[in-house]
């Protein structure tokens, strides 16, 4: 049993590999060595004629498509273990809460349920997938947010040490009210993270024992396991955390789950945003009522009519899949293609752009001459344009990840280095799906 690196365990004659929560993006290694755990596991099982089991309550769209087509076998568990029932799930429209004068991130509905649980000696889990105190700081004078000098992202305020931090490169500075852009003392906090929510919960529920679980509170060795044990032993009433509290946890006394900012990930510019949101909501609401006691879940959203929110509320994977697969097919996204992303990174923006443009030209010529069917987008700036001091441009290729395509790409990368002579540019090739 182990994390993704366990797939490389030096075993002979492997008969079975089980990947639990197979849809998790963390099964893919984005740093050297780059690999997708499922691909390595499938290869090793094929070598020794073993079996690979991909397990999940919310399978990836690709895996479920392969199961539907017969490429994979499919086994369904249609009910919970023992006598446990699925929780009752309700949605709360936060725009209505604002109209009623509630400016808090905690709705009156969720607060009432939390109070009921406290009175009845039951435990609760609250998910907010944003760590820190405030998620960004903005100037009232020049209207600009404080950004990291090394990355094109906003800094997050952390109250524990009164510093602004970048969650990408780790850069941090002491917080002041003076704007680095215009020099006026008009900086103010915006957004809500787990630290601020913990403080707000403590004010509203002073008798509650609250455990915060995020990357900041679990940095010490073994702290994650120790905190979970304390919660399991009943030392806390409420566990508030990021997505680390959403999956794989099983506490009999947890009868309530609350989800704050449920649709935050739904607005990402990513074809997988709907799948990730559905997965997260379905998994976290499933933490309630796993034992003898009935469970409830409260999903707070600004768009309760969203089909993704509705499917998650109903725990209806089949309907979500049918809706999502039509979109994927019409727009040609996985499983109807593979996506290869090439990133050109350099501390010199012009060099990064020139390199991406030169490679695009070589790729266009090669694609015209070959029988490869590909769709190419770019060059375009990466989602995080500047990261750790390096500017980044992407080329995205929709393709079929076969031997012919890989040989073509390998040859192009060699030609690119030989012909362009562009120095100090790193090229990263990533088969995203």
């Amino acid at each position: 049993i182990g994390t993704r690196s366990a797939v490389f365990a030096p075993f002979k004659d492997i008969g079975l590999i089980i990947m639990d929560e197979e849809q998790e993006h963390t099964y893919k290694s984005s740093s050297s060595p780059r690999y997708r755990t499922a691909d390595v596991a499938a290869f090793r099982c094929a070598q020794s004629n073993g079996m690979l089991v991909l397990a999940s309550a919310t399978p990836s769209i690709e895996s479920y498509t392969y199961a539907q087509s017969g490429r994979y076998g499919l086994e369904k568990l249609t009910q919970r273990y023992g006598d446990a029932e699925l929780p009752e799930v309700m949605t709360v429209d936060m725009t209505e809460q604002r109209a009623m004068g509630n400016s808090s991130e905690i709705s009156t509905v969720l607060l009432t349920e939390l109070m009921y649980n406290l009175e009845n000696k039951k435990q609760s889990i609250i998910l907010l997938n944003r760590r820190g105190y405030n998620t960004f700081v903005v100037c009232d004078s020049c209207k600009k947010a404080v950004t990291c000098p090394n990355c094109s992202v906003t800094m997050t305020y952390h109250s524990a040490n009164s510093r602004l931090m970048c969650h990408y490169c780790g850069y941090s500075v002491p917080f002041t009210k003076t704007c680095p852009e215009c020099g006026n003392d008009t900086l103010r906090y915006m957004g809500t993270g787990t630290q601020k929510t913990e403080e707000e919960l403590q004010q509203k529920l002073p008798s509650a024992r609250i455990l915060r679980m995020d990357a900041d509170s679990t940095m010490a060795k073994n702290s994650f396991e120790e905190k979970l044990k304390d919660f399991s032993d009943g030392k806390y009433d409420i566990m508030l955390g990021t997505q680390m509290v959403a999956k794989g946890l099983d506490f009999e006394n947890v009868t309530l789950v609350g989800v704050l900012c449920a649709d935050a990930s739904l607005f990402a510019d990513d074809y997988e945003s709907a799948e990730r949101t559905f997965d997260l909501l379905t998994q976290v609401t499933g933490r309630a009522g796993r034992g003898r006691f009935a469970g409830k879940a409260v999903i707070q959203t600004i768009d309760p009519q969203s089909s993704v929110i509705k499917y998650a509320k109903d725990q209806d994977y089949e309907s979500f899949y049918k809706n999502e697969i039509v979109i994927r097919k019409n727009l040609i996204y996985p499983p109807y293609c593979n996506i290869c992303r090439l990133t050109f990174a350099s501390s010199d923006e012009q060099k990064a752009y020139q390199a991406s443009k030169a490679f695009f030209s070589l790729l266009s010529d090669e694609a015209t001459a070959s029988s490869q069917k590909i769709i190419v987008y770019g060059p375009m700036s990466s989602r995080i344009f500047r990261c750790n001091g390096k500017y980044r441009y992407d080329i995205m290729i929709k393709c079929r990840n076969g031997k012919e395509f890989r040989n073509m790409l390998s040859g192009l990368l060699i030609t690119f280095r030989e012909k362009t002579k562009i120095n100090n540019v790193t090229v990263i090739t990533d088969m995203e799906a």
Side-chain angles (χ1 to χ4, degrees), residues 39-198:
D39 293 342
V40 178
F43 177 82
R44 297 201 69 186
C45 285
Q47 292 295 101
S48 58
N49 200 29
M51 177 178 283
L52 172 61
V53 176
L54 304 175
S56 176
T58 53
S60 68
I61 296 294
E62 292 88 341
S63 293
Y64 199 68
T65 300
Y66 299 150
Q68 295 287 80
S69 67
R71 181 174 169 181
Y72 292 175
L74 178 63
E75 299 293 335
K76 293 185 179 181
L77 301 178
T78 56
Q79 60 190 59
R80 280 188 161 188
Y81 173 76
D83 298 325
E85 298 289 336
L86 287 171
E88 173 194 349
V89 185
M90 63 185 89
T91 54
V92 177
D93 189 340
M94 292 306 287
T95 56
E96 289 183 0
Q97 290 282 312
R98 302 286 186 265
M100 291 163 49
N102 180 17
S103 59
S104 168
E105 289 296 329
I106 302 164
S107 67
T108 52
V109 176
L110 180 56
L111 184 61
T112 301
E113 295 293 342
L114 287 168
M115 292 171 70
Y116 176 85
N117 259 23
L118 278 174
E119 291 168 3
N120 289 273
K121 310 295 183 187
K122 295 291 184 289
Q123 292 174 298
S124 308
I125 293 176
I126 297 178
L127 169 71
L128 174 60
N129 207 15
R130 299 173 183 166
R131 65 187 176 103
Y133 192 88
N134 294 97
T135 49
F136 63 100
V137 178
V138 70
C139 177
D140 280 336
S141 299
C142 66
K143 311 301 180 187
K144 291 184 178 179
V146 178
T147 58
C148 173
N150 305 315
C151 312
S152 54
V153 296
T154 56
M155 303 277 276
T156 301
Y157 175 65
H158 288 251
S159 63
N161 54 8
S162 192
R163 295 180 73 86
L164 294 175
M165 295 183 66
C166 172
H167 289 170
Y168 284 83
C169 71
Y171 175 84
S172 74
V173 290
F175 174 77
T176 69
K177 289 190 175 181
T178 304
C179 175
E181 289 288 334
C182 66
N184 291 319
D185 294 335
T186 49
L187 286 181
R188 66 186 175 96
Y189 310 115
M190 296 286 284
T192 299
T194 47
Q195 289 181 10
K196 185 178 181 181
T197 303
E198 178 187 24

Side-chain angles (χ1 to χ4, degrees), residues 100-309:
M100 291 163 49
N102 180 17
S103 59
S104 168
E105 289 296 329
I106 302 164
S107 67
T108 52
V109 176
L110 180 56
L111 184 61
T112 301
E113 295 293 342
L114 287 168
M115 292 171 70
Y116 176 85
N117 259 23
L118 278 174
E119 291 168 3
N120 289 273
K121 310 295 183 187
K122 295 291 184 289
Q123 292 174 298
S124 308
I125 293 176
I126 297 178
L127 169 71
L128 174 60
N129 207 15
R130 299 173 183 166
R131 65 187 176 103
Y133 192 88
N134 294 97
T135 49
F136 63 100
V137 178
V138 70
C139 177
D140 280 336
S141 299
C142 66
K143 311 301 180 187
K144 291 184 178 179
V146 178
T147 58
C148 173
N150 305 315
C151 312
S152 54
V153 296
T154 56
M155 303 277 276
T156 301
Y157 175 65
H158 288 251
S159 63
N161 54 8
S162 192
R163 295 180 73 86
L164 294 175
M165 295 183 66
C166 172
H167 289 170
Y168 284 83
C169 71
Y171 175 84
S172 74
V173 290
F175 174 77
T176 69
K177 289 190 175 181
T178 304
C179 175
E181 289 288 334
C182 66
N184 291 319
D185 294 335
T186 49
L187 286 181
R188 66 186 175 96
Y189 310 115
M190 296 286 284
T192 299
T194 47
Q195 289 181 10
K196 185 178 181 181
T197 303
E198 178 187 24
E199 189 178 284
E200 190 175 339
L201 281 169
Q202 205 67 77
Q203 290 171 355
K204 293 179 181 294
L205 303 166
S207 64
R209 298 165 298 167
I210 301 170
L211 171 65
R212 178 165 58 87
M213 296 282 285
D214 55 29
D216 300 311
S217 65
T218 57
M219 288 176 68
K221 185 181 179 182
N222 300 325
S223 63
F224 180 74
E225 292 80 5
E226 289 168 1
K227 288 176 185 291
L228 286 182
K229 185 179 186 306
D230 287 344
F231 186 75
S232 179
D233 292 343
K235 295 179 182 179
Y236 294 96
D237 304 304
I238 300 171
M239 179 161 63
L240 162 70
T242 53
Q243 61 182 359
M244 64 173 66
V245 307
K247 301 170 187 180
L249 303 181
D250 192 344
F251 302 111
E252 185 176 58
N253 206 36
V254 171
T255 59
L256 174 66
V257 166
V259 184
L260 312 186
C261 304
D263 25 34
S265 60
L266 199 54
F267 304 131
D269 59 338
D270 189 332
Y271 76 94
E272 291 181 304
S273 59
E275 182 180 359
R276 279 200 304 268
T277 302
F278 176 83
D279 168 47
L280 188 62
L281 295 181
T282 305
Q283 293 276 356
V284 73
T285 53
R287 299 310 101 200
R290 298 182 69 85
R292 293 173 293 140
F293 312 112
K296 270 188 182 179
V298 178
I299 299 175
Q300 297 186 175
T301 171
I302 60 172
D303 185 14
Q305 300 308 311
S306 162
S307 60
V308 176
I309 301 292

Side-chain angles (χ1 to χ4, degrees), residues 60-62 65 266 270-276 278 307-308 311 317-331 333-336:
S60 68
I61 296 294
E62 292 88 341
T65 300
L266 199 54
D270 189 332
Y271 76 94
E272 291 181 304
S273 59
E275 182 180 359
R276 279 200 304 268
F278 176 83
S307 60
V308 176
Y311 294 142
Y317 178 83
E318 292 284 350
S319 295
F320 168 74
Y321 171 80
K322 288 175 183 176
N323 184 72
E324 184 67 12
I325 199 66
V326 171
I327 298 170
R328 298 280 185 97
K329 187 175 183 178
N330 289 337
L331 297 178
Y333 275 111
Y336 297 101

